[in-house]
Amino acid sequence: MSEPLEATPHAFVRADREDGSVSFVVDESVYPLEAIYGATFTFLDRCFVFLGREGEGQVRVVLSAKKLPIADDELRGWVGELANELLACAWRGRILEQNRATIEAVTSQAIGGAMGPPSLDELEDFDFSEEPFEDPLGIAMSWEEKYGKKDKSQGGETEGT
Amino acid sequence: MSERLFGAMTPETFDARQPAFFRFRQLPMAPDKVVLSNLEGRWLVLDRPDFLAFAQGQVSEGTPLFQKLRERNFLRAYYDVPAATEMVRARHEFVGAGPNLHILVLTLRCNTTCVYCHASRANMDQVDTDMTVEIAEKSVDFILQSTNPAVTIEFQGGEPLVRFDLLQHVVRYANERNEAIGKEIDFTLVTNLSLMDEEKLDWLIENRVQICTSVDGPQDVHDKQRKLPKASAHGEAVKWIGRINERYEELGLDQTLYHVEALVTTTRPILDRWKELVDLYVDLGCRALFLRPLDPFGFADKTKRLIEYPRADYVTYYRNAVDYMIELNKGGVEILERYAAIFLTKILSGVDPNFLDIRQPSGAGIGQLAYSYDGKIFTCDEGRMLHEMGDDTFEIGHVMTSKYRDVVGHEAVRAVVIASQLDGQPDCVHCPYQPYCGIPPVHSHRIQGTLLGRMRESSLCAVHKGIQDYLFEKLASGDEETLRVLEKWTTIRPRDHFVQ
Ligand code: SF4
Ligand code: SF4
């Protein structure tokens, strides 16, 4: 039976002691869905995680014990940590977006520097013979190939026909 | 467009008193002082009224404070972009260098049993946890592919002296293979010293293998948590530290570079005994003391009920111990605290000493790699420790099958590099210590289940914040003698690998 959990906000949090689960309603206008996924994902090693639609713009997160019995303290710990991680994910997402250029530049320099250029052996292993990828939109074509005038001698269509 | 914008921002057309980008923090133990730092890591500690005037853009031109703010690049109208760029570059010089530190776990076997063993040691009869000669050679071949022109091979365990024969083979093989490659190559041995003898010592010295050990405090503390059957672990460590330092001296080696580097793993019983601890290190002839807190890896996780402590207690211990060390230095005794030296080098000299766990991006995968006895490769030693605890998140290859570029370009390495940049971290983006700080994602992963971590709740952030609060208090104290001691600590550089 679902009931309030002591020392947590009753409006959002319900506990089911028999099932060993705690549930938490998250407002999507406050926390983006990416933050909900990111925050709940960090609980996979501790409990089973269920996400479901509660109502318009609301997601219910249920954290369920992998083993019973489970103490109220632990349930409270989960829900508190989930709330903190949700905020961290939501805000971090914004910060990462703002500082994306710096982070990408440092990352590519760090990884590129550690990897170094490919060796001759590695280049040898590379298969240049096959088409690298399908290109239905002509992204890999040169501008001339894609939009340039077609050579009439090759019997292509001409303008105005 | 940007030129016009910058052109417009001259003192004539723009209020010269407006602050440029800055981060700030009121010092908790000296609340009348506020630390501020800017993007490139220049800093000031201001009295509260001065800080408020600065933040509100009300410091009058021509005053000494205005001058100071201008010199340190805290004013928008005078903001020196090229100087800031150069400083940011200098602080990140290590970024593209590639892995320098290579940790080789020769065996998990160990003759000692420590309550907190981070390495998850194995019993002496578990020979299946020994590295084979083939895996050792393949590891060396792998290491020599690093893009870094200098590499350090650090022997770890278990107790690496259990396989001294293999250690010797690795040193010989690496030197031989390196003849054609020409890297600068160093060797370090991390040992409890209890299996040391004169013959081994002669060989290690002759082959310039640096020696690093642990002393956790006075005999009763050390022996209680590091149990050596039929002998005192403390007695053995102390005896050999003295003997090795004596040998270095006899050989006329530079004592600032060649001495046994000893570390403390801080456990609960030592928190009140900081004075005895410092005195012990001084008596042992050590010039450096690294007051490391407990890590949440290996057996420490199981025994935390007995040895763990709140990080606020650690910070008090740290402050007491370093206060005492500063006083000793004023009296002519040379002993430095390693954490302080790392942070102060960044704060005072604007360069990064490349301590792999306190830098951003952190060293995992791009600055260090760990090779387990069975040939598995990890981003870092802690990643290897987690593997022993059943978590393979940081396993990135195998010396027998993986290609170098696939290992350092592994998705786990990329994730760790991104996660360890504090520019993407709530709290850190507003913290004045951000230019000097660093948190290894493996730590956050272990304690918070996320590589990115929540710094506000991170025990490592609490340690780094507490130490930097303390250092800035000292820097703001105006005590000339203290400043001289702290500045000196930044000039005594260990060879990098001593302190990993
Ligand atoms: S910490 Fe080192 S000396 Fe102690 S048990 Fe573990 S491997 Fe052995
Ligand atoms: S980890 Fe902590 S001390 Fe370091 S920059 Fe971030 S908030 Fe500041």
Side-chain angles (χ1 to χ4, degrees):
Chain A
M1 195 185 70
S2 151
E3 34 189 7
L5 182 65
E6 207 180 305
T8 59
H10 295 177
F12 304 112
V13 181
R14 309 286 296 175
D16 189 324
R17 290 173 181 85
E18 255 170 55
D19 286 357
S21 70
V22 64
S23 75
F24 185 72
V25 178
V26 185
D27 184 337
E28 271 186 87
S29 66
V30 180
Y31 302 103
L33 202 53
E34 289 77 14
I36 300 173
Y37 289 156
T40 51
F41 195 80
T42 65
F43 283 81
L44 298 193
D45 55 341
R46 282 173 277 181
C47 47
F48 298 117
V49 179
F50 301 87
L51 299 181
R53 176 64 69 195
E54 174 75 4
E56 184 65 17
Q58 288 192 323
V59 174
R60 180 170 287 279
V61 180
V62 183
L63 304 177
S64 174
K66 290 186 177 177
K67 268 192 204 143
L68 290 174
I70 182 143
D72 268 15
D73 262 0
E74 189 137 359
L75 294 178
R76 196 175 301 113
W78 286 350
V79 91
E81 216 178 308
L82 174 63
N84 288 359
E85 186 60 30
L86 271 169
L87 174 58
C89 280
W91 193 23
R92 193 189 291 121
R94 289 202 177 178
I95 292 168
L96 280 170
E97 210 38 66
Q98 284 159 7
N99 292 342
R100 192 188 183 110
T102 313
I103 291 169
E104 279 180 357
V106 173
T107 304
S108 53
Q109 203 189 332
I111 302 285
M115 284 175 78
S119 67
L120 286 179
D121 287 349
E122 279 162 321
L123 284 178
E124 216 167 70
D125 288 347
F126 195 82
D127 188 354
F128 291 97
S129 63
E130 285 182 8
E131 283 293 318
F133 55 87
E134 302 259 323
D135 188 18
L137 299 177
I139 290 164
M141 277 183 198
S142 71
W143 190 88
E144 286 82 359
E145 276 177 294
K146 201 169 169 183
Y147 300 111
K149 284 186 182 169
K150 304 282 188 312
D151 185 346
K152 285 179 190 161
S153 65
Q154 288 176 359
E157 287 179 3
T158 54
E159 278 173 338
T161 59
Chain B
M1 174 67 195
S2 64
E3 253 174 39
R4 273 199 14 240
L5 189 67
F6 277 110
M9 282 168 59
T10 61
E12 293 78 44
T13 55
F14 195 83
D15 185 347
R17 302 170 304 168
Q18 288 302 315
F21 171 83
F22 68 97
R23 307 178 178 101
F24 71 98
R25 173 173 167 84
Q26 191 170 5
L27 287 172
M29 303 293 274
D32 55 328
K33 304 271 184 213
V34 180
V35 183
L36 49 151
S37 74
N38 60 15
L39 184 79
E40 67 266 27
R42 287 193 176 92
W43 57 273
L44 280 170
V45 183
L46 299 182
D47 290 334
R48 242 180 92 79
D50 283 350
F51 170 72
L52 291 175
F54 160 69
Q56 289 162 4
Q58 287 171 0
V59 178
S60 305
E61 287 187 58
T63 59
L65 177 58
F66 186 89
Q67 199 48 33
K68 208 158 37 167
L69 290 165
R70 187 179 163 171
E71 278 166 17
R72 303 273 178 110
N73 229 10
F74 278 99
L75 295 176
R76 211 187 303 178
Y78 295 99
Y79 195 71
D80 186 342
V81 177
T85 313
E86 178 49 33
M87 223 169 150
V88 170
R89 196 200 55 73
R91 284 189 187 281
H92 289 85
E93 207 143 39
F94 56 80
V95 170
N100 157 260
L101 179 68
H102 299 266
I103 292 166
L104 217 54
V105 178
L106 297 184
T107 176
L108 282 188
R109 290 192 288 151
C110 182
N111 60 336
T112 305
T113 311
C114 300
V115 278
Y116 53 72
C117 183
H118 296 129
S120 302
R121 47 89 67 191
N123 288 334
M124 287 297 276
D125 56 1
Q126 285 178 261
V127 286
D128 58 321
T129 68
D130 284 6
M131 189 176 260
T132 62
V133 171
E134 192 189 11
I135 286 180
E137 289 184 356
K138 286 282 181 200
S139 302
V140 170
D141 294 343
F142 195 91
I143 291 166
L144 291 174
Q145 291 178 61
S146 169
T147 49
N148 200 312
V151 293
T152 294
I153 297 180
E154 182 170 291
F155 298 109
Q156 289 244 17
E159 171 48 52
L161 285 184
V162 169
R163 286 303 311 274
F164 187 63
D165 60 323
L166 188 60
L167 182 154
Q168 288 176 301
H169 180 77
V170 169
V171 172
R172 289 194 194 105
Y173 181 77
N175 282 330
E176 208 177 284
R177 292 268 309 158
N178 191 41
E179 267 170 31
I181 297 167
K183 283 192 191 293
E184 192 183 307
I185 184 163
D186 284 314
F187 300 96
T188 303
L189 164 65
V190 179
T191 168
N192 63 33
L193 289 171
S194 61
L195 296 173
M196 186 63 82
D197 59 37
E198 288 291 341
E199 207 180 315
K200 289 189 187 107
L201 180 57
D202 281 346
W203 193 91
L204 292 167
I205 289 177
E206 199 179 310
N207 289 275
R208 299 281 155 114
V209 179
Q210 289 285 341
I211 300 170
C212 181
T213 193
S214 292
V215 177
D216 290 348
Q219 181 152 13
D220 61 311
V221 174
H222 186 99
D223 282 347
K224 200 166 172 201
Q225 52 201 34
R226 301 179 67 101
K227 293 207 184 302
L228 181 64
K230 299 193 192 114
S232 157
H234 186 269
E236 289 299 304
V238 164
K239 177 179 85 189
W240 283 106
I241 290 172
R243 179 72 189 121
I244 298 165
N245 284 338
E246 202 177 276
R247 289 295 307 280
Y248 287 154
E249 211 175 329
E250 281 164 19
L251 290 166
L253 292 169
D254 180 353
Q255 291 284 289
T256 48
L257 279 180
Y258 286 86
H259 55 264
V260 180
E261 186 85 9
L263 310 170
V264 185
T265 300
T266 302
T267 50
R268 199 189 302 156
I270 200 67
L271 290 177
D272 294 331
R273 298 174 67 179
W274 44 268
K275 184 172 180 300
E276 280 171 84
L277 178 71
V278 175
D279 287 340
L280 172 69
Y281 270 70
V282 172
D283 291 346
L284 286 172
C286 296
R287 307 264 180 109
L289 172 51
F290 198 165
L291 298 170
R292 298 200 317 176
L294 263 179
D295 278 329
F297 306 109
F299 298 166
D301 195 50
K302 295 197 182 91
T303 52
K304 62 183 170 206
R305 206 172 43 81
L306 300 170
I307 54 177
E308 259 294 359
Y309 40 82
R311 288 302 179 264
D313 294 354
Y314 168 87
V315 172
T316 306
Y317 147 88
Y318 183 89
R319 297 173 68 95
N320 286 332
V322 181
D323 268 348
Y324 180 52
M325 289 164 88
I326 292 172
E327 288 313 309
L328 287 175
N329 276 267
K330 287 179 183 173
V333 176
E334 284 195 18
I335 178 106
L336 65 80
E337 201 287 313
R338 189 65 76 199
Y339 256 134
I342 292 165
F343 282 121
L344 286 166
T345 304
K346 302 185 195 214
I347 294 165
L348 295 175
S349 68
V351 293
D352 196 298
N354 198 18
F355 181 69
L356 298 171
D357 287 350
I358 310 178
R359 56 169 238 193
Q360 43 171 319
S362 99
I366 53 165
Q368 70 164 305
L369 291 167
Y371 308 80
S372 194
Y373 66 91
D374 54 3
K376 287 182 178 152
I377 308 172
F378 298 90
T379 53
C380 53
D381 202 25
E382 291 78 6
R384 188 263 303 188
M385 293 168 186
L386 279 184
H387 167 73
E388 296 300 335
M389 298 165 76
D391 177 348
D392 292 336
T393 307
F394 301 91
E395 185 180 330
I396 52 176
H398 195 284
V399 292
M400 303 300 278
T401 50
S402 302
K403 288 186 177 157
Y404 173 80
R405 296 182 82 245
D406 292 341
V407 168
V408 291
H410 192 279
E411 59 192 17
V413 177
R414 282 180 270 151
V416 164
V417 169
I418 292 170
S420 60
Q421 292 178 60
L422 304 183
D423 274 323
Q425 194 61 259
D427 267 337
C428 303
V429 287
H430 295 121
C431 175
Y433 307 145
Q434 202 248 48
Y436 328 114
C437 211
I439 297 283
V442 63
H443 191 275
S444 307
H445 171 80
R446 174 74 198 124
I447 58 170
Q448 297 179 331
T450 150
L451 284 181
L452 294 142
R454 297 184 302 278
M455 292 310 127
R456 186 69 49 133
E457 298 172 85
S458 158
S459 55
L460 205 52
C461 167
V463 166
H464 289 183
K465 216 176 242 169
I467 292 175
Q468 292 178 90
D469 280 343
Y470 170 80
L471 294 173
F472 275 101
E473 263 173 54
K474 291 287 153 193
L475 292 172
S477 71
D479 178 56
E480 289 296 326
E481 255 188 302
T482 300
L483 293 183
R484 256 197 304 278
V485 170
L486 297 184
E487 258 163 38
K488 190 161 181 211
W489 288 3
T490 69
T491 62
I492 302 167
R493 302 278 165 79
R495 290 161 63 179
D496 286 349
H497 58 273
F498 274 22
V499 293
Q500 303 304 338

